[in-house]
Amino acid sequence: MRSVPVLVCIAGGRVMTGGPGMGPTIVDTTLAHWRAHETLNIENVFLCVREMLRRRTKAPVADGRIVSMASVAGLRADEQTDAAYGSAKGAIVAFTRTAAKQAAPLGITVN
């Protein structure tokens, strides 16, 4: 089995419930809508990064890289972003920072 030195997490998106670019207010956000954003945006990043780190712990590679894509919506709110989407994207930013610290001893850079 060949070792993969690079992981790029770019999948994700919005679960649309309102008009174009609009989501529900916090008051109108259902738990199903919230969880759909968690699953689509952060859960999949977590699962992929966890697997990469598990594999690299057992079989190290030189100069490993993990890149995760979020959105500016994870850093600031605007009228085009609902709370579920922005929170999920913010979770990617926070998770990536934690992954960077934990992957560093394995020789893996995370951005």
Side-chain angles (χ1 to χ4, degrees), residues 7-11 42-55 66-67 95:
L7 170 66
V8 180
C9 302
I10 58 172
I42 185 60
E43 184 176 304
N44 294 315
V45 173
F46 159 70
L47 292 172
C48 290
V49 170
R50 182 182 70 178
E51 187 60 26
M52 173 85 165
L53 295 180
R54 284 179 173 176
R55 288 178 184 224
I66 298 173
V67 177
F95 177 79

Coordinates of all heavy atoms in Angstrom, one line a residue, residues 7-11 42-55 66-67 95:
L7 N -3.4 15.4 2.2 CA -4.9 15.3 2.3 C -5.4 16.7 2.1 O -5.0 17.7 2.7 CB -5.3 14.8 3.7 CG -6.8 14.9 4.0 CD1 -7.6 14.0 3.1 CD2 -7.0 14.6 5.5
V8 N -6.4 16.9 1.2 CA -7.1 18.2 1.0 C -8.6 18.0 1.2 O -9.2 17.2 0.5 CB -6.8 18.7 -0.5 CG1 -7.5 20.0 -0.7 CG2 -5.3 18.8 -0.7
C9 N -9.1 18.7 2.2 CA -10.5 18.7 2.5 C -11.2 19.9 1.9 O -11.1 21.0 2.5 CB -10.7 18.6 4.0 SG -9.9 17.2 4.8
I10 N -11.9 19.7 0.8 CA -12.6 20.9 0.2 C -14.1 20.7 0.0 O -14.7 21.6 -0.5 CB -11.9 21.2 -1.2 CG1 -12.0 20.0 -2.1 CG2 -10.5 21.7 -1.0 CD1 -11.6 20.4 -3.5
A11 N -14.6 19.6 0.4 CA -16.0 19.4 0.3 C -16.8 20.1 1.3 O -16.3 20.5 2.4 CB -16.3 17.9 0.4
I42 N -18.2 19.9 8.8 CA -17.1 19.6 9.8 C -16.9 18.1 10.1 O -15.8 17.6 10.2 CB -17.3 20.4 11.1 CG1 -16.1 20.2 12.0 CG2 -18.6 20.1 11.8 CD1 -14.7 20.6 11.5
E43 N -18.0 17.4 10.1 CA -17.8 15.9 10.4 C -17.0 15.2 9.4 O -16.1 14.4 9.8 CB -19.2 15.2 10.5 CG -19.1 13.8 10.9 CD -20.5 13.2 11.1 OE1 -21.3 13.7 11.8 OE2 -20.7 12.1 10.4
N44 N -17.1 15.5 8.1 CA -16.4 14.9 7.1 C -14.9 15.3 7.2 O -14.0 14.5 6.9 CB -17.0 15.1 5.7 CG -18.3 14.5 5.6 OD1 -18.5 13.3 6.0 ND2 -19.3 15.2 5.1
V45 N -14.6 16.5 7.5 CA -13.2 17.0 7.7 C -12.6 16.2 8.9 O -11.5 15.7 8.8 CB -13.1 18.5 7.9 CG1 -11.7 18.9 8.3 CG2 -13.6 19.3 6.7
F46 N -13.3 16.1 10.0 CA -12.8 15.4 11.1 C -12.5 14.0 10.8 O -11.4 13.5 11.1 CB -13.9 15.4 12.3 CG -13.7 14.3 13.3 CD1 -12.6 14.3 14.1 CD2 -14.6 13.3 13.3 CE1 -12.5 13.3 15.1 CE2 -14.5 12.3 14.2 CZ -13.4 12.3 15.1
L47 N -13.4 13.3 10.1 CA -13.2 11.9 9.8 C -12.0 11.7 8.9 O -11.2 10.7 9.1 CB -14.4 11.3 9.1 CG -15.6 11.1 10.0 CD1 -16.9 10.7 9.2 CD2 -15.4 10.1 11.2
C48 N -11.8 12.5 7.9 CA -10.7 12.4 7.0 C -9.3 12.7 7.7 O -8.3 12.0 7.5 CB -10.9 13.3 5.8 SG -12.2 12.7 4.7
V49 N -9.3 13.8 8.5 CA -8.1 14.1 9.2 C -7.7 13.1 10.2 O -6.6 12.7 10.3 CB -8.2 15.5 9.8 CG1 -7.0 15.8 10.7 CG2 -8.3 16.6 8.7
R50 N -8.7 12.6 10.9 CA -8.4 11.6 11.9 C -7.8 10.3 11.2 O -6.8 9.8 11.7 CB -9.7 11.2 12.6 CG -9.5 10.1 13.7 CD -10.8 9.7 14.4 NE -11.6 8.9 13.5 CZ -12.7 8.4 13.8 NH1 -13.2 8.5 15.0 NH2 -13.4 7.7 12.9
E51 N -8.3 9.9 10.1 CA -7.8 8.7 9.4 C -6.4 9.0 8.9 O -5.5 8.1 9.0 CB -8.7 8.3 8.3 CG -8.3 7.0 7.6 CD -8.3 5.8 8.6 OE1 -9.0 5.8 9.6 OE2 -7.5 4.9 8.3
M52 N -6.2 10.2 8.4 CA -4.8 10.5 7.9 C -3.8 10.5 9.1 O -2.7 9.9 8.9 CB -4.8 11.9 7.3 CG -3.5 12.5 6.9 SD -2.9 11.9 5.3 CE -1.6 13.1 5.0
L53 N -4.2 11.0 10.2 CA -3.2 11.0 11.4 C -3.0 9.6 11.9 O -1.9 9.3 12.3 CB -3.7 12.0 12.4 CG -3.8 13.5 12.0 CD1 -4.3 14.3 13.2 CD2 -2.4 13.9 11.6
R54 N -4.1 8.8 11.9 CA -3.9 7.4 12.4 C -3.0 6.7 11.5 O -2.1 5.9 11.9 CB -5.3 6.7 12.4 CG -6.2 7.1 13.6 CD -7.5 6.4 13.5 NE -8.3 6.7 14.7 CZ -9.5 6.2 14.9 NH1 -10.1 5.5 14.0 NH2 -10.2 6.5 16.0
R55 N -3.1 6.8 10.2 CA -2.3 6.1 9.2 C -0.8 6.6 9.3 O 0.1 5.9 9.2 CB -2.8 6.3 7.8 CG -4.1 5.5 7.6 CD -4.6 5.7 6.2 NE -5.8 5.0 6.0 CZ -6.1 4.2 5.0 NH1 -5.3 4.1 4.0 NH2 -7.3 3.6 4.9
I66 N -1.8 18.6 5.3 CA -3.2 18.6 5.3 C -3.7 20.0 5.1 O -3.3 20.9 5.7 CB -3.8 18.1 6.7 CG1 -3.3 16.6 6.9 CG2 -5.3 18.2 6.7 CD1 -3.7 16.1 8.3
V67 N -4.6 20.1 4.1 CA -5.2 21.4 3.8 C -6.7 21.3 3.9 O -7.3 20.4 3.4 CB -4.9 21.9 2.4 CG1 -5.5 23.2 2.0 CG2 -3.4 22.0 2.2
F95 N -10.9 23.6 14.3 CA -10.4 22.2 14.2 C -9.1 22.1 13.5 O -8.2 21.4 13.9 CB -11.4 21.3 13.5 CG -11.0 19.9 13.3 CD1 -11.1 19.0 14.3 CD2 -10.5 19.5 12.0 CE1 -10.6 17.7 14.1 CE2 -10.0 18.2 11.9 CZ -10.1 17.3 12.9

